[in-house]
Amino acid sequence: MVEESLIEVLMREHRHIEAVAGACESLARTLDAGDPIDVYLPRRIAHFMQDYADCCHHNKEEELLFPALEAEGFPRDGCPLGVMRHEHEEARKLVARLRAGSHGAELSGLLRAVASTYADHIHKEDRVLYPLAQKALPQARQEQLRLDFLKADAAFGAERRHCLENFAGDLAVAYPSEPANEESPDARRRTIVDLARSCRRNS
């Protein structure tokens, strides 16, 4: 069995987070159509985002990957790390509001905000941050980080992870997101431009 690289681990986790974010958009459409949803589902989504997206995934980035990049000369509060940290905080605020409870149009708007915030953030990391990390980090450092990721996952708990990933899969089946369009040739350029704008706003 071929071992995953540290970037492959992070991107695999992204796919589970994307599944839940996509379901949030589908749930918002369901509410807009006047159809009911499970009243406990928004809080279950908030729990997934707090536990899996934040404690499991963002913890690897903020406690392991980002400091490694800082050691290679990336400024902590500059671009792109400062932007990524800022977006993590914005996502946490949205998820806290979702967990607190809301109804009707407010809930629909909040679900859409969660969906778009995570989708945009993941796109920046997949297309810009992670390729930069692969180029900047020496191979030996990448291997050490991969081992550190395994330790972090062991501390998080295999059964806990399994339950959360199953929830993401089940939710994606029940509330599938709309198929994404094929990426256009200039999508990477647009992502870099968007990230540069974010850097200016947060500088």
Side-chain angles (χ1 to χ4, degrees):
M1 182 177 176
V2 178
E3 294 176 334
E4 289 181 303
S5 70
L6 75 154
I7 298 303
E8 287 170 338
V9 170
L10 295 171
M11 292 183 75
R12 172 172 49 78
E13 292 172 351
H14 272 176
R15 305 292 77 81
H16 294 291
I17 299 167
E18 276 182 336
V20 175
C24 286
E25 177 64 34
S26 181
L27 282 163
R29 292 196 301 271
T30 299
L31 289 169
D32 291 345
D35 296 326
I37 65 170
D38 180 345
V39 295
Y40 298 106
L41 197 47
R43 283 188 175 89
R44 292 184 69 197
I45 290 170
H47 171 74
F48 173 88
M49 290 304 192
Q50 288 178 325
D51 209 20
Y52 189 87
D54 209 16
C55 293
C56 178
H57 178 75
H58 289 163
N59 181 65
K60 287 189 184 80
E61 293 177 334
E62 294 182 356
E63 299 300 322
L64 297 170
L65 177 63
F66 292 179
L69 289 171
E70 289 165 29
E72 296 300 321
F74 286 68
R76 174 181 173 82
D77 298 320
C79 187
L81 299 185
V83 174
M84 298 299 104
R85 285 193 173 94
H86 172 75
E87 291 184 357
H88 287 179
E89 287 301 322
E90 291 303 304
R92 289 177 184 125
K93 291 175 185 176
L94 285 172
V95 170
R97 287 175 55 199
L98 188 63
R99 187 157 200 164
S102 56
H103 305 280
E106 180 185 1
L107 176 56
S108 175
L110 188 52
L111 286 166
R112 281 200 165 89
V114 169
S116 63
T117 295
Y118 278 97
D120 290 347
H121 178 73
I122 285 171
H123 191 71
K124 290 174 188 174
E125 289 192 333
D126 281 354
R127 302 295 181 179
V128 180
L129 179 66
Y130 293 168
L132 285 175
Q134 283 184 307
K135 290 180 180 178
L137 294 172
Q139 194 58 45
R141 189 71 183 95
Q142 291 190 42
E143 175 58 18
Q144 182 58 55
L145 279 172
R146 188 186 67 81
L147 296 175
D148 291 341
F149 281 9
L150 291 175
K151 292 177 184 176
D153 281 339
F156 185 79
E159 183 61 27
R160 182 180 174 191
R161 167 189 279 278
H162 181 68
C163 289
L164 289 164
E165 291 179 350
N166 278 349
F167 169 75
D170 292 344
L171 189 64
V173 170
Y175 294 94
S177 58
E178 293 182 342
N181 293 327
E182 292 253 346
E183 188 174 76
S184 61
D186 63 342
R188 180 179 173 84
R189 180 185 59 81
R190 288 201 308 272
T191 302
I192 294 171
V193 169
D194 289 344
L195 182 54
R197 288 171 178 163
S198 296
C199 290
R200 287 197 295 273
R201 285 198 299 270
N202 292 285
S203 61

